[in-house]
Amino acid sequence: TNAFTNTNNYFTTFQARQLIQLINSDNDRLQLLEQAYPLITDPGKFYELHDLLKSQASRNELEDFINNYM
């Protein structure tokens, strides 16, 4: 969480995946993905992280977040 709350940090999709994979809870992963999204340097690849979420509901929530971001 600390890495993604610091707005001076930026991550590639691969780096974000490595960090988020350390977390087991789907809800916590979703929260981290939402925090990470603004810090991703290659947002076109962000869709590759959807498979980190186990439930379709969480994937849908992430899609809604991305579509409504900004």
Side-chain angles (χ1 to χ4, degrees):
T1 300
N2 292 338
F4 295 128
T5 56
N6 183 342
T7 57
N8 292 320
N9 292 338
Y10 291 92
F11 303 90
T12 64
T13 298
F14 179 75
Q15 291 169 321
R17 172 181 286 283
Q18 289 180 309
L19 290 171
I20 294 168
Q21 280 180 320
L22 298 172
I23 306 302
N24 293 324
S25 163
D26 219 35
N27 285 339
D28 291 341
R29 282 184 174 191
L30 176 60
Q31 180 182 3
L32 289 174
L33 285 164
E34 290 175 349
Q35 288 177 337
Y37 184 70
L39 307 173
I40 296 295
T41 59
D42 54 348
K45 292 184 175 185
F46 197 76
Y47 70 91
E48 295 175 7
L49 301 179
H50 290 183
D51 69 326
L52 293 174
L53 299 170
K54 296 175 182 122
S55 76
Q56 186 62 47
S58 292
R59 290 186 206 119
N60 292 344
E61 191 171 333
L62 181 60
E63 275 300 314
D64 289 344
F65 172 83
I66 292 169
N67 290 335
N68 294 311
Y69 184 76
M70 289 200 183

